[in-house]
Amino acid sequence: GAVVSQHPSWVICKSGTSVKIECRSLDFQATTMFWYRQFPKQSLMLMATSNEGSKATYEQGVEKDKFLINHASLTLSTLTVTSAHPEDSSFYICSARDLMPTRGGSPLHFGNGTRLTVT
Amino acid sequence: AQKITQTQPGMFVQEKEAVTLDCTYDTSDPSYGLFWYKQPSSGEMIFLIYQGSYDQQNATEGRYSLNFQKARKSANLVISASQLGDSAMYFCAMREGSGAGSYQLTFGKGTKLSVIP
């Protein structure tokens, strides 16, 4: 089935540094990808919609200058957390839309997530 | 108003028994879709089942079935013959509208299912 690879699966960084998270669709083209954040014991909250070749659309309250999203190809979207602070520590997970899902399959595929810890 | 409501923070079920996880939704868009995901402690989102608003029949996938009651705006997940490996968080989610951006999901708060041996 369709696979979305997300890398790294976990990362620890120091406060003030930047971290890049990659989301790659391995066997399908994803013109649209989505980035979510999940705090412990909470639900997933949409951060932004990433469109190939154009600027990302950010949800209200999400700082676009802090969470930089680039979707330069049909198979890769990246999320860069700039000048990370401890409050940015969270689980970040991407999903990609599959325009040709298998019968009974999901039109969306999630990566395995990235656990970010900022010290 | 919340778009997705999961009223059961936690549920217990005996192994081999069936369990129903509740989900109600709120939308005025005639085109929408409902998803159920399982999230084990490792964090990955495992797709279970999908129901489109125009689908005539309730979705089923193996031991999972979705009890879709459109007039009541409910989309409950039924897991038959529970297994110990079913213990996890379960999220109901909805997409609204048509077009590429309509696949951004709104998630409920989740239900933690514990299967008892």
Side-chain angles (χ1 to χ4, degrees):
Chain A
V3 176
V4 171
S5 173
Q6 188 171 339
H7 179 82
S9 54
W10 61 270
V11 58
I12 302 172
C13 72
K14 291 190 174 180
S15 189
T17 61
S18 295
V19 173
K20 181 185 282 189
I21 302 169
E22 290 189 351
C23 181
R24 197 179 296 269
S25 58
L26 296 185
D27 54 0
F28 67 100
Q29 293 184 335
T31 54
T32 305
M33 293 187 176
F34 305 93
W35 287 95
Y36 295 84
R37 179 168 54 186
Q38 184 180 30
F39 290 108
K41 299 190 187 303
Q42 294 189 25
S43 188
L44 281 74
M45 297 297 291
L46 180 69
M47 298 176 67
T49 300
S50 169
N51 298 299
E52 187 266 335
S54 64
K55 290 184 178 180
T57 304
Y58 289 82
E59 294 301 297
Q60 194 171 11
V62 177
E63 299 174 58
K64 65 174 93 174
D65 295 330
K66 180 168 187 61
F67 298 100
L68 300 179
I69 292 172
N70 184 279
H71 194 156
S73 78
L74 286 171
T75 59
L76 176 64
S77 176
T78 60
L79 167 69
T80 302
V81 183
T82 63
S83 187
H85 287 101
E87 56 265 31
D88 299 325
S89 298
S90 188
F91 187 66
Y92 294 87
I93 192 164
C94 67
S95 71
R97 186 183 174 194
D98 185 352
L99 292 177
M100 298 181 66
T102 58
R103 185 178 175 80
S106 175
L108 277 175
H109 305 287
F110 278 84
N112 283 346
T114 298
R115 202 164 298 278
L116 170 64
T117 302
V118 185
T119 61
Chain B
Q2 286 190 32
K3 291 206 169 191
I4 294 286
T5 302
Q6 293 181 256
T7 57
Q8 307 151 315
M11 288 280 286
F12 290 89
V13 64
Q14 203 77 37
E15 194 178 5
K16 300 179 186 176
E17 297 291 312
V19 63
T20 298
L21 305 185
D22 294 341
C23 174
T24 57
Y25 59 93
D26 183 27
T27 181
S28 58
D29 200 310
S31 176
Y32 57 91
L34 297 151
F35 298 76
W36 276 95
Y37 287 92
K38 171 185 178 181
Q39 188 181 43
S41 56
S42 52
E44 72 264 35
M45 297 295 282
I46 300 170
F47 167 73
L48 298 178
I49 202 163
Y50 172 74
Q51 179 89 40
S53 58
Y54 296 119
D55 293 342
Q56 295 295 317
Q57 293 186 315
N58 286 352
T60 61
E61 287 294 335
R63 294 187 299 113
Y64 305 106
S65 60
L66 198 152
N67 184 3
F68 182 46
Q69 297 189 42
K70 200 168 182 177
R72 297 178 63 183
K73 294 190 174 179
S74 75
N76 298 340
L77 176 71
V78 181
I79 305 175
S80 62
S82 297
Q83 302 172 356
L84 295 178
D86 294 335
S87 294
M89 280 293 288
Y90 288 79
F91 290 99
C92 179
M94 178 174 67
R95 64 153 190 87
E96 298 173 89
S98 56
S102 71
Y103 281 82
Q104 59 190 42
L105 299 183
T106 303
F107 284 84
K109 295 191 177 201
T111 296
K112 185 174 173 62
L113 178 66
S114 300
V115 181
I116 305 166

CSV table of all heavy atoms in Angstrom, one decimal, chain A residues 31-32 34 36 38 42-44 46 49 59 91 93 97 103-108 110-112 115, chain B residues 35 37 39 41-45 47 50 61 91 99-110:
chain,number,residue,atom,x,y,z
A,31,THR,N,0.3,16.1,-4.2
A,31,THR,CA,0.3,17.5,-4.5
A,31,THR,C,-0.1,18.3,-3.2
A,31,THR,O,0.2,19.5,-3.1
A,31,THR,CB,-0.8,17.9,-5.6
A,31,THR,OG1,-2.0,17.3,-5.2
A,31,THR,CG2,-0.3,17.3,-6.9
A,32,THR,N,-0.7,17.6,-2.3
A,32,THR,CA,-1.1,18.3,-1.0
A,32,THR,C,-0.7,17.4,0.2
A,32,THR,O,-1.0,16.2,0.2
A,32,THR,CB,-2.7,18.5,-1.0
A,32,THR,OG1,-3.1,19.2,-2.2
A,32,THR,CG2,-3.1,19.3,0.3
A,34,PHE,N,-0.3,17.6,4.6
A,34,PHE,CA,-0.8,18.3,5.8
A,34,PHE,C,0.1,18.1,7.0
A,34,PHE,O,0.6,17.0,7.2
A,34,PHE,CB,-2.2,17.8,6.2
A,34,PHE,CG,-3.2,17.9,5.0
A,34,PHE,CD1,-3.4,16.9,4.2
A,34,PHE,CD2,-3.9,19.1,4.8
A,34,PHE,CE1,-4.3,17.0,3.1
A,34,PHE,CE2,-4.8,19.2,3.7
A,34,PHE,CZ,-5.0,18.2,2.9
A,36,TYR,N,0.5,18.2,11.2
A,36,TYR,CA,-0.3,18.3,12.4
A,36,TYR,C,0.7,18.3,13.6
A,36,TYR,O,1.8,17.8,13.5
A,36,TYR,CB,-1.2,17.0,12.6
A,36,TYR,CG,-2.3,16.9,11.6
A,36,TYR,CD1,-2.0,16.4,10.3
A,36,TYR,CD2,-3.6,17.4,11.8
A,36,TYR,CE1,-3.1,16.3,9.4
A,36,TYR,CE2,-4.6,17.3,10.9
A,36,TYR,CZ,-4.3,16.7,9.7
A,36,TYR,OH,-5.3,16.6,8.7
A,38,GLN,N,0.7,17.3,17.8
A,38,GLN,CA,0.0,16.6,18.9
A,38,GLN,C,0.8,16.7,20.2
A,38,GLN,O,1.9,16.2,20.3
A,38,GLN,CB,-0.2,15.1,18.5
A,38,GLN,CG,-1.1,14.3,19.6
A,38,GLN,CD,-1.3,12.9,19.2
A,38,GLN,OE1,-0.4,12.3,18.5
A,38,GLN,NE2,-2.4,12.3,19.6
A,42,GLN,N,-3.2,14.5,24.0
A,42,GLN,CA,-4.2,15.4,23.3
A,42,GLN,C,-4.4,14.9,21.9
A,42,GLN,O,-3.8,13.9,21.4
A,42,GLN,CB,-3.7,16.8,23.3
A,42,GLN,CG,-3.7,17.4,24.7
A,42,GLN,CD,-3.5,18.9,24.7
A,42,GLN,OE1,-3.8,19.6,23.7
A,42,GLN,NE2,-3.0,19.4,25.8
A,43,SER,N,-5.3,15.5,21.2
A,43,SER,CA,-5.6,15.2,19.8
A,43,SER,C,-4.7,15.8,18.8
A,43,SER,O,-3.8,16.7,19.2
A,43,SER,CB,-7.1,15.5,19.5
A,43,SER,OG,-7.5,15.0,18.3
A,44,LEU,N,-4.8,15.5,17.6
A,44,LEU,CA,-4.0,16.1,16.6
A,44,LEU,C,-4.6,17.4,16.1
A,44,LEU,O,-5.9,17.5,16.0
A,44,LEU,CB,-3.9,15.2,15.3
A,44,LEU,CG,-2.9,14.0,15.3
A,44,LEU,CD1,-3.4,12.9,16.2
A,44,LEU,CD2,-2.7,13.5,13.9
A,46,LEU,N,-4.4,20.5,13.3
A,46,LEU,CA,-3.8,20.9,12.0
A,46,LEU,C,-3.0,22.2,12.1
A,46,LEU,O,-3.5,23.1,12.7
A,46,LEU,CB,-4.9,21.0,11.0
A,46,LEU,CG,-4.5,21.5,9.6
A,46,LEU,CD1,-3.7,20.3,8.9
A,46,LEU,CD2,-5.7,21.9,8.7
A,49,THR,N,-1.5,23.5,5.7
A,49,THR,CA,-1.7,22.7,4.4
A,49,THR,C,-0.6,23.1,3.5
A,49,THR,O,-0.4,24.3,3.2
A,49,THR,CB,-3.1,23.0,3.8
A,49,THR,OG1,-4.1,22.6,4.8
A,49,THR,CG2,-3.2,22.1,2.5
A,59,GLU,N,-2.9,27.5,9.7
A,59,GLU,CA,-4.1,27.6,10.5
A,59,GLU,C,-3.9,28.8,11.5
A,59,GLU,O,-2.8,29.2,11.8
A,59,GLU,CB,-4.4,26.3,11.3
A,59,GLU,CG,-4.7,25.1,10.4
A,59,GLU,CD,-6.0,25.4,9.6
A,59,GLU,OE1,-7.0,25.5,10.2
A,59,GLU,OE2,-5.9,25.4,8.4
A,91,PHE,N,4.8,16.2,19.3
A,91,PHE,CA,4.8,15.1,18.3
A,91,PHE,C,4.3,15.8,17.0
A,91,PHE,O,3.1,16.3,17.0
A,91,PHE,CB,3.9,14.0,18.7
A,91,PHE,CG,4.0,12.8,17.8
A,91,PHE,CD1,5.2,12.0,17.7
A,91,PHE,CD2,2.9,12.3,17.2
A,91,PHE,CE1,5.2,10.9,16.9
A,91,PHE,CE2,2.9,11.2,16.4
A,91,PHE,CZ,4.1,10.4,16.3
A,93,ILE,N,3.3,15.3,12.9
A,93,ILE,CA,3.0,14.2,12.0
A,93,ILE,C,2.4,14.8,10.7
A,93,ILE,O,1.7,15.8,10.8
A,93,ILE,CB,2.0,13.2,12.7
A,93,ILE,CG1,1.9,11.9,11.9
A,93,ILE,CG2,0.7,13.8,13.0
A,93,ILE,CD1,1.3,10.8,12.7
A,97,ARG,N,-2.2,13.4,0.7
A,97,ARG,CA,-3.4,13.0,0.0
A,97,ARG,C,-3.0,12.1,-1.2
A,97,ARG,O,-2.2,12.5,-2.0
A,97,ARG,CB,-4.2,14.1,-0.5
A,97,ARG,CG,-5.6,13.6,-1.1
A,97,ARG,CD,-6.4,14.7,-1.6
A,97,ARG,NE,-7.6,14.1,-2.3
A,97,ARG,CZ,-8.4,14.7,-3.1
A,97,ARG,NH1,-8.2,16.0,-3.4
A,97,ARG,NH2,-9.4,14.1,-3.7
A,103,ARG,N,-9.4,0.5,-3.5
A,103,ARG,CA,-10.8,0.4,-3.1
A,103,ARG,C,-10.8,0.0,-1.6
A,103,ARG,O,-10.2,-1.0,-1.2
A,103,ARG,CB,-11.4,-0.7,-4.0
A,103,ARG,CG,-12.9,-0.9,-3.7
A,103,ARG,CD,-13.5,-1.9,-4.6
A,103,ARG,NE,-14.9,-2.2,-4.3
A,103,ARG,CZ,-15.9,-1.4,-4.6
A,103,ARG,NH1,-15.7,-0.4,-5.4
A,103,ARG,NH2,-17.2,-1.7,-4.3
A,104,GLY,N,-11.5,0.8,-0.9
A,104,GLY,CA,-11.6,0.5,0.5
A,104,GLY,C,-10.5,1.1,1.3
A,104,GLY,O,-10.5,1.1,2.6
A,105,GLY,N,-9.5,1.6,0.6
A,105,GLY,CA,-8.3,2.2,1.3
A,105,GLY,C,-8.6,3.6,1.6
A,105,GLY,O,-9.6,4.2,1.3
A,106,SER,N,-7.6,4.2,2.3
A,106,SER,CA,-7.7,5.6,2.7
A,106,SER,C,-7.2,6.5,1.7
A,106,SER,O,-6.2,6.2,1.0
A,106,SER,CB,-6.9,5.8,4.0
A,106,SER,OG,-7.0,7.2,4.4
A,107,PRO,N,-7.9,7.6,1.5
A,107,PRO,CA,-7.3,8.7,0.5
A,107,PRO,C,-6.2,9.5,1.2
A,107,PRO,O,-5.7,10.4,0.6
A,107,PRO,CB,-8.6,9.5,0.2
A,107,PRO,CG,-9.4,9.4,1.4
A,107,PRO,CD,-9.2,8.0,1.9
A,108,LEU,N,-5.9,9.2,2.4
A,108,LEU,CA,-4.9,9.9,3.2
A,108,LEU,C,-3.9,8.9,3.8
A,108,LEU,O,-4.3,7.9,4.3
A,108,LEU,CB,-5.5,10.7,4.3
A,108,LEU,CG,-6.1,12.1,4.0
A,108,LEU,CD1,-6.7,12.7,5.2
A,108,LEU,CD2,-5.0,13.0,3.5
A,110,PHE,N,-0.6,8.7,6.5
A,110,PHE,CA,0.2,9.4,7.5
A,110,PHE,C,1.6,8.9,7.6
A,110,PHE,O,1.8,7.7,7.4
A,110,PHE,CB,-0.5,9.3,8.9
A,110,PHE,CG,-1.6,10.2,9.1
A,110,PHE,CD1,-2.9,9.9,8.7
A,110,PHE,CD2,-1.4,11.4,9.8
A,110,PHE,CE1,-4.0,10.8,8.9
A,110,PHE,CE2,-2.5,12.3,10.1
A,110,PHE,CZ,-3.7,12.0,9.6
A,111,GLY,N,2.5,9.8,7.9
A,111,GLY,CA,3.8,9.4,8.3
A,111,GLY,C,3.8,8.9,9.7
A,111,GLY,O,2.8,8.9,10.4
A,112,ASN,N,4.9,8.4,10.2
A,112,ASN,CA,5.0,7.8,11.5
A,112,ASN,C,5.2,8.8,12.6
A,112,ASN,O,5.3,8.5,13.8
A,112,ASN,CB,6.0,6.7,11.6
A,112,ASN,CG,5.6,5.4,10.9
A,112,ASN,OD1,4.4,5.2,10.7
A,112,ASN,ND2,6.5,4.5,10.7
A,115,ARG,N,9.0,12.9,17.0
A,115,ARG,CA,8.9,13.4,18.4
A,115,ARG,C,10.0,14.4,18.6
A,115,ARG,O,11.2,14.0,18.6
A,115,ARG,CB,9.0,12.2,19.4
A,115,ARG,CG,8.4,12.5,20.8
A,115,ARG,CD,8.1,11.3,21.6
A,115,ARG,NE,7.2,10.4,21.0
A,115,ARG,CZ,5.9,10.5,21.1
A,115,ARG,NH1,5.3,11.5,21.7
A,115,ARG,NH2,5.1,9.6,20.5
B,35,PHE,N,-13.3,9.4,9.1
B,35,PHE,CA,-12.2,8.4,9.2
B,35,PHE,C,-12.2,7.9,10.7
B,35,PHE,O,-12.5,8.7,11.6
B,35,PHE,CB,-10.9,9.1,9.0
B,35,PHE,CG,-10.7,9.6,7.6
B,35,PHE,CD1,-11.3,10.8,7.2
B,35,PHE,CD2,-9.9,9.0,6.7
B,35,PHE,CE1,-11.1,11.3,5.9
B,35,PHE,CE2,-9.6,9.5,5.4
B,35,PHE,CZ,-10.2,10.7,5.0
B,37,TYR,N,-9.0,6.3,13.1
B,37,TYR,CA,-7.6,5.9,13.2
B,37,TYR,C,-7.4,5.3,14.5
B,37,TYR,O,-8.0,5.7,15.5
B,37,TYR,CB,-6.7,7.1,13.0
B,37,TYR,CG,-6.7,7.7,11.6
B,37,TYR,CD1,-7.5,8.7,11.2
B,37,TYR,CD2,-5.8,7.1,10.7
B,37,TYR,CE1,-7.5,9.1,9.9
B,37,TYR,CE2,-5.7,7.6,9.4
B,37,TYR,CZ,-6.6,8.6,9.0
B,37,TYR,OH,-6.5,9.1,7.7
B,39,GLN,N,-4.2,4.8,17.2
B,39,GLN,CA,-2.9,5.3,17.5
B,39,GLN,C,-2.3,4.6,18.7
B,39,GLN,O,-2.7,4.8,19.9
B,39,GLN,CB,-2.9,6.8,17.8
B,39,GLN,CG,-1.5,7.4,17.9
B,39,GLN,CD,-1.5,8.9,18.2
B,39,GLN,OE1,-2.3,9.4,19.0
B,39,GLN,NE2,-0.6,9.7,17.6
B,41,SER,N,0.8,3.4,21.4
B,41,SER,CA,1.7,4.3,22.2
B,41,SER,C,2.9,4.8,21.4
B,41,SER,O,3.5,5.8,21.7
B,41,SER,CB,2.1,3.6,23.4
B,41,SER,OG,2.7,2.3,23.1
B,42,SER,N,3.3,4.0,20.3
B,42,SER,CA,4.4,4.4,19.5
B,42,SER,C,4.1,5.7,18.6
B,42,SER,O,5.0,6.3,18.1
B,42,SER,CB,4.8,3.3,18.5
B,42,SER,OG,3.6,2.8,17.8
B,43,GLY,N,2.8,6.0,18.5
B,43,GLY,CA,2.5,7.3,17.9
B,43,GLY,C,1.9,7.3,16.4
B,43,GLY,O,1.3,8.2,16.0
B,44,GLU,N,2.2,6.2,15.7
B,44,GLU,CA,1.8,6.2,14.3
B,44,GLU,C,0.3,6.2,14.2
B,44,GLU,O,-0.4,5.6,15.1
B,44,GLU,CB,2.4,5.1,13.5
B,44,GLU,CG,1.9,3.7,13.8
B,44,GLU,CD,2.7,3.0,14.8
B,44,GLU,OE1,3.3,3.6,15.7
B,44,GLU,OE2,2.8,1.7,14.6
B,45,MET,N,-0.3,6.8,13.2
B,45,MET,CA,-1.7,6.8,12.9
B,45,MET,C,-2.0,5.6,12.0
B,45,MET,O,-1.6,5.7,10.8
B,45,MET,CB,-2.1,8.1,12.3
B,45,MET,CG,-1.9,9.3,13.2
B,45,MET,SD,-2.9,9.2,14.7
B,45,MET,CE,-4.5,9.8,14.1
B,47,PHE,N,-4.7,3.8,9.8
B,47,PHE,CA,-6.0,3.9,9.2
B,47,PHE,C,-6.8,2.7,9.4
B,47,PHE,O,-6.3,1.5,9.2
B,47,PHE,CB,-5.9,4.2,7.7
B,47,PHE,CG,-7.1,4.1,7.0
B,47,PHE,CD1,-8.1,5.0,7.1
B,47,PHE,CD2,-7.4,3.0,6.1
B,47,PHE,CE1,-9.3,4.9,6.3
B,47,PHE,CE2,-8.5,2.8,5.4
B,47,PHE,CZ,-9.5,3.8,5.5
B,50,TYR,N,-13.0,4.2,6.4
B,50,TYR,CA,-13.4,5.5,5.9
B,50,TYR,C,-14.8,5.4,5.4
B,50,TYR,O,-15.2,4.4,4.8
B,50,TYR,CB,-12.5,5.9,4.8
B,50,TYR,CG,-12.9,7.1,4.0
B,50,TYR,CD1,-12.8,8.4,4.5
B,50,TYR,CD2,-13.5,7.0,2.7
B,50,TYR,CE1,-13.2,9.5,3.8
B,50,TYR,CE2,-13.9,8.1,2.0
B,50,TYR,CZ,-13.7,9.4,2.6
B,50,TYR,OH,-14.1,10.5,1.9
B,61,GLU,N,-14.3,-3.2,7.2
B,61,GLU,CA,-13.0,-3.6,6.9
B,61,GLU,C,-12.6,-4.7,8.0
B,61,GLU,O,-12.2,-4.3,9.1
B,61,GLU,CB,-12.0,-2.4,7.0
B,61,GLU,CG,-12.0,-1.5,5.9
B,61,GLU,CD,-11.6,-2.0,4.5
B,61,GLU,OE1,-10.9,-3.0,4.5
B,61,GLU,OE2,-12.1,-1.5,3.5
B,91,PHE,N,-9.1,7.6,17.3
B,91,PHE,CA,-9.6,8.9,16.9
B,91,PHE,C,-10.6,8.8,15.7
B,91,PHE,O,-10.3,8.1,14.7
B,91,PHE,CB,-8.4,9.8,16.4
B,91,PHE,CG,-7.5,10.2,17.6
B,91,PHE,CD1,-6.3,9.5,17.8
B,91,PHE,CD2,-7.8,11.2,18.4
B,91,PHE,CE1,-5.4,9.9,18.8
B,91,PHE,CE2,-7.0,11.6,19.4
B,91,PHE,CZ,-5.8,10.9,19.7
B,99,GLY,N,-12.2,19.1,-3.3
B,99,GLY,CA,-11.0,19.8,-3.6
B,99,GLY,C,-9.8,19.3,-2.8
B,99,GLY,O,-10.0,18.6,-1.8
B,100,ALA,N,-8.6,19.6,-3.2
B,100,ALA,CA,-7.4,19.1,-2.5
B,100,ALA,C,-7.4,19.5,-1.0
B,100,ALA,O,-7.0,18.6,-0.2
B,100,ALA,CB,-6.2,19.6,-3.2
B,101,GLY,N,-7.7,20.7,-0.7
B,101,GLY,CA,-7.6,21.1,0.7
B,101,GLY,C,-8.7,20.5,1.6
B,101,GLY,O,-8.6,20.6,2.8
B,102,SER,N,-9.7,19.9,1.0
B,102,SER,CA,-10.7,19.3,1.8
B,102,SER,C,-10.3,18.1,2.6
B,102,SER,O,-11.0,17.5,3.4
B,102,SER,CB,-11.9,18.9,1.0
B,102,SER,OG,-11.6,17.8,0.2
B,103,TYR,N,-9.0,17.6,2.3
B,103,TYR,CA,-8.5,16.4,3.0
B,103,TYR,C,-7.8,16.8,4.3
B,103,TYR,O,-7.1,16.0,4.9
B,103,TYR,CB,-7.8,15.5,2.1
B,103,TYR,CG,-8.7,14.7,1.3
B,103,TYR,CD1,-9.3,15.2,0.1
B,103,TYR,CD2,-9.1,13.4,1.7
B,103,TYR,CE1,-10.2,14.5,-0.6
B,103,TYR,CE2,-10.0,12.7,0.9
B,103,TYR,CZ,-10.6,13.2,-0.2
B,103,TYR,OH,-11.5,12.5,-0.9
B,104,GLN,N,-7.8,18.1,4.7
B,104,GLN,CA,-7.3,18.4,6.0
B,104,GLN,C,-8.4,17.9,7.0
B,104,GLN,O,-9.6,18.0,6.8
B,104,GLN,CB,-7.1,19.9,6.2
B,104,GLN,CG,-8.4,20.7,6.0
B,104,GLN,CD,-8.0,22.2,5.9
B,104,GLN,OE1,-7.0,22.6,5.3
B,104,GLN,NE2,-8.8,23.0,6.5
B,105,LEU,N,-7.9,17.2,8.1
B,105,LEU,CA,-8.8,16.6,9.0
B,105,LEU,C,-9.0,17.3,10.3
B,105,LEU,O,-8.1,17.9,10.8
B,105,LEU,CB,-8.3,15.2,9.3
B,105,LEU,CG,-8.2,14.2,8.1
B,105,LEU,CD1,-7.7,12.8,8.6
B,105,LEU,CD2,-9.5,14.1,7.3
B,106,THR,N,-10.2,17.2,10.8
B,106,THR,CA,-10.5,17.7,12.2
B,106,THR,C,-10.7,16.4,13.0
B,106,THR,O,-11.5,15.6,12.6
B,106,THR,CB,-11.8,18.5,12.2
B,106,THR,OG1,-11.7,19.6,11.3
B,106,THR,CG2,-12.1,19.0,13.6
B,107,PHE,N,-10.0,16.4,14.1
B,107,PHE,CA,-10.0,15.2,14.9
B,107,PHE,C,-10.8,15.4,16.2
B,107,PHE,O,-10.9,16.5,16.7
B,107,PHE,CB,-8.5,14.8,15.3
B,107,PHE,CG,-7.7,14.2,14.2
B,107,PHE,CD1,-7.1,14.9,13.3
B,107,PHE,CD2,-7.6,12.8,14.1
B,107,PHE,CE1,-6.3,14.4,12.3
B,107,PHE,CE2,-6.9,12.2,13.1
B,107,PHE,CZ,-6.2,13.0,12.2
B,108,GLY,N,-11.4,14.3,16.6
B,108,GLY,CA,-12.0,14.3,17.9
B,108,GLY,C,-10.9,14.1,19.0
B,108,GLY,O,-9.7,14.0,18.7
B,109,LYS,N,-11.3,14.1,20.3
B,109,LYS,CA,-10.3,14.1,21.4
B,109,LYS,C,-9.8,12.7,21.6
B,109,LYS,O,-8.9,12.5,22.4
B,109,LYS,CB,-10.9,14.7,22.6
B,109,LYS,CG,-11.2,16.1,22.5
B,109,LYS,CD,-11.6,16.8,23.8
B,109,LYS,CE,-11.8,18.3,23.5
B,109,LYS,NZ,-11.6,19.1,24.7
B,110,GLY,N,-10.5,11.7,21.0
B,110,GLY,CA,-10.0,10.3,21.1
B,110,GLY,C,-10.6,9.5,22.3
B,110,GLY,O,-11.2,10.1,23.2
